[in-house]
Amino acid sequence: MAKKRPQTKAKRPQLTDGEIPVVGAREPCPCGSGRRYKACHGRAAAQAATELVHRPFEGLPGECDWVALRELVPAATAELTLKDGLPEGVPSVTLATVLPMAWPALRRDDGSVLLGLQNDTASGDISRDLADTLTRALEAQPGTPVKGRRAPAEGPRLQDLLDPKAPFEPVVHPGFEFWVPDPENATPDVTASLERANAAAIPTVKLQGVDSAYWCETPEKNHLRWVMPHPEEQLLDALARLHAAGRSGLGEGTRLVGSFRGHGLTVPVWDLPSGVTADDIEKPAAEFAERLAVALTTDAPLTADERRARGGLTNRQVTLS
């Protein structure tokens, strides 16, 4: 009787950690270990998805403006410069606050890329999610949107893709006409969509004399929202000193009312009379910046009045992210 030949299993090719794709948590891990993905290489992905990066835009040029465009500004764009230059067939890459249909990104018919900033993200690191979306948009077919997904845990971040020496210069728009190359000749459906989006946008203007300060108009009063790069505790102390001394305003009828906290940065907010325009506030804002610079250098203990002022500012602080 002939002996049975021993059966051997074909060996699966071994993958390096960087080659292992993201699959469902209960599916077998693509590395070939025989374990479920969530118990193998999915552990790192799960940790990356839940670990919050408090300052996702840190290290990028214009970090304060990134925060403003993410949280405060309705309609704005900014040209992005890639470290390795633009791929063939991609004439430009533009960051946009919002895209039609809340798309994460869009590859236009001419090959250019629009990257949406104000989108829900799947992990705790907005920078990694945006970098994943941008990478896929650069490879997408012209004329197609890019859908959201969970970014690979070890994927690049914006800081890995963008040129750190290139300027970041937001352009604030009165509406969303930048969605389409030729809005005057858009279809009725597109025109209706633009009208709805424009009607919901709060008029906003970026000040020219100081960095990352944005005036906005609301029905009852206007506001100035100013994203600042200083450490939060130091900034609150400085604001409290000015507030207690009656020097925190931006002119008659204006008032420092509190602050937002967004993506690791503090955003002081002033109420302005409805008649005060962005142009009106340019000079007072520049003068306040000088007063603040002096207050930031003071390290003396806060007085009783300054502590009360600080407590009031802290109690009116709202976290955006």
Side-chain angles (χ1 to χ4, degrees):
M1 183 181 292
K3 293 182 179 180
K4 293 183 178 179
R5 292 183 179 179
Q7 295 182 353
T8 59
K9 295 182 179 180
K11 292 184 178 180
R12 298 184 61 174
Q14 296 299 308
L15 301 177
T16 65
D17 287 351
E19 297 173 332
I20 296 170
V22 176
V23 299
R26 292 182 167 274
E27 295 181 34
C29 187
C31 75
S33 67
R35 291 179 291 174
R36 289 179 176 176
Y37 178 69
K38 69 176 183 179
C40 191
H41 282 84
R43 288 179 175 176
Q47 181 178 2
T50 57
E51 186 176 353
L52 178 64
V53 177
H54 291 279
R55 288 182 64 179
F57 307 118
E58 184 176 15
L60 291 174
E63 179 188 6
C64 294
D65 286 313
W66 278 89
V67 173
L69 267 57
R70 168 75 183 184
E71 300 294 342
L72 305 174
V73 182
T77 56
E79 296 300 313
L80 299 180
T81 303
L82 306 184
K83 278 184 179 179
D84 299 329
L86 294 169
E88 184 177 357
V90 180
S92 64
V93 175
T94 304
L95 182 74
T97 48
V98 180
L99 294 180
M101 308 297 293
W103 288 325
L106 172 66
R107 182 85 184 272
R108 282 177 157 166
D109 291 335
D110 65 354
S112 61
V113 168
L114 288 176
L115 176 66
L117 182 57
Q118 295 180 15
N119 291 90
D120 292 334
T121 54
S123 79
D125 187 354
I126 297 171
S127 178
R128 193 179 307 280
D129 290 331
L130 288 170
D132 178 67
T133 300
L134 174 56
T135 300
R136 291 184 292 125
L138 293 171
E139 300 172 350
Q141 291 297 317
T144 59
V146 176
K147 297 181 180 180
R149 73 168 188 180
R150 183 177 63 186
E154 301 301 324
R157 307 179 74 238
L158 287 174
Q159 288 81 347
D160 301 317
L161 301 181
L162 302 183
D163 185 348
K165 298 180 181 179
F168 184 76
E169 300 175 347
V171 177
V172 178
H173 303 278
F176 295 91
E177 281 75 16
F178 63 85
W179 282 354
V180 291
D182 187 8
E184 293 184 357
N185 296 317
T187 64
D189 288 344
V190 171
T191 299
S193 178
L194 280 173
E195 289 177 351
R196 288 192 298 270
N198 289 342
I202 296 175
T204 302
V205 176
K206 187 179 188 299
L207 298 195
Q208 300 301 309
V210 295
D211 293 334
S212 310
Y214 292 81
W215 171 95
C216 65
E217 180 183 15
T218 59
E220 295 184 358
K221 62 183 68 175
N222 298 340
H223 304 279
L224 184 71
R225 302 163 176 175
W226 193 340
V227 188
M228 296 187 173
H230 318 292
E232 181 179 11
E233 296 302 315
Q234 181 187 10
L235 176 58
L236 289 175
D237 281 352
L239 292 174
R241 296 181 197 278
L242 295 175
H243 202 58
R247 305 182 69 207
S248 63
L250 299 174
E252 184 178 355
T254 68
R255 187 165 67 98
L256 175 64
V257 293
S259 63
F260 296 131
R261 181 191 291 117
H263 305 292
L265 299 182
T266 304
V267 189
V269 178
W270 285 262
D271 279 352
L272 312 173
S274 58
V276 174
T277 67
D279 288 340
D280 294 334
I281 214 68
E282 286 279 7
K283 182 179 178 181
E287 293 171 346
F288 176 83
E290 294 177 357
R291 298 197 298 273
L292 179 63
V294 174
L296 286 167
T297 64
T298 304
D299 56 5
L302 296 179
T303 66
D305 287 343
E306 291 168 347
R307 288 197 300 272
R308 282 192 291 271
R310 193 185 196 281
L313 293 173
T314 303
N315 290 338
R316 295 191 297 272
Q317 190 173 51
V318 177
T319 300
L320 300 175
S321 59

